[in-house]
Amino acid sequence: MPHRPPRPEKSEGGIRFDIVSDFEPKGDQPTAIADLVEGVGALEREAERLRVLGQIERRRGDARAALDRAGESLALAQALGMAPLQAHDHADIAVAYAELGRARQARAALNKAIERYRALAMSAHEVRAEGALAQSG
C-alpha cells in the first residue's frame, strides 16, 4: 500500500476561488459542466427544503419527524459544504431534542450550533443559541 500523507481538515464554508485556464470545453463537455452546476444547485435547494419541512413538522407537534428532517438536511449540507445551513440545522436539531425531552442531546447540538455560528461570525444567531443553552440548565 503506498504511503499517503495526512490530509488537512476541510474548512467550514470553504474559500471562493476562480480557475484561470486556457482550457476550452469541447464536444459534450459544456453540457456536462452545466448539468453538474445545475445538479449542485438542486441539491442545495433540497437541503434548504428539508430544513423548512422539519420546521413545519416541529410546529405541527411532530418533533421526531422534525429531527429526522433536520438530520437529512444536515447530512446534505455537510456534503455540499453549506456551513451556515449546518449551523442552523444543529440549532433545529437542538430544539427537536428539547421537545422530545432529550436535554443532554439538545445541549450538545446547541454547542455545535454555537461553535459554527462563532466560526462564521453569525453573532446574532450565536447569541440566540447561547441564550437557549443557558436556559436549558
Side-chain angles (χ1 to χ4, degrees):
M1 177 178 267
H3 169 72
R4 289 188 181 192
R7 290 185 176 185
E9 290 291 319
K10 292 184 179 181
S11 64
E12 298 256 358
I15 299 171
R16 179 175 169 73
F17 65 94
D18 294 314
I19 298 175
V20 178
S21 170
D22 295 332
F23 171 76
E24 290 291 329
K26 298 202 177 5
D28 66 348
Q29 290 174 337
T31 303
I33 292 168
D35 289 347
L36 285 171
V37 170
E38 183 180 320
V40 169
L43 289 172
E44 289 172 344
R45 288 187 299 278
E46 178 67 8
E48 293 283 355
R49 185 186 71 80
L50 287 166
R51 178 173 185 241
V52 170
L53 284 173
Q55 291 174 333
I56 291 168
E57 288 168 331
R58 187 177 52 77
R59 287 187 179 107
R60 289 183 175 166
D62 192 349
R64 178 73 238 165
L67 183 60
D68 291 344
R69 240 34 81 236
E72 292 169 5
S73 177
L74 177 61
L76 198 47
Q78 288 171 330
L80 296 170
M82 299 172 71
L85 183 58
Q86 291 173 43
H88 294 317
D89 286 334
H90 281 294
D92 290 346
I93 287 168
V95 172
Y97 274 139
E99 290 182 4
L100 290 168
R102 296 167 66 180
R104 186 176 53 78
Q105 291 96 331
R107 285 191 298 277
L110 274 172
N111 279 317
K112 287 181 184 179
I114 291 166
E115 176 185 304
R116 281 159 178 76
Y117 286 141
R118 189 171 293 138
L120 295 165
M122 297 173 70
S123 56
H125 294 287
E126 179 186 346
V127 168
R128 197 171 349 196
E130 286 174 338
L133 184 61
Q135 287 180 344
S136 72

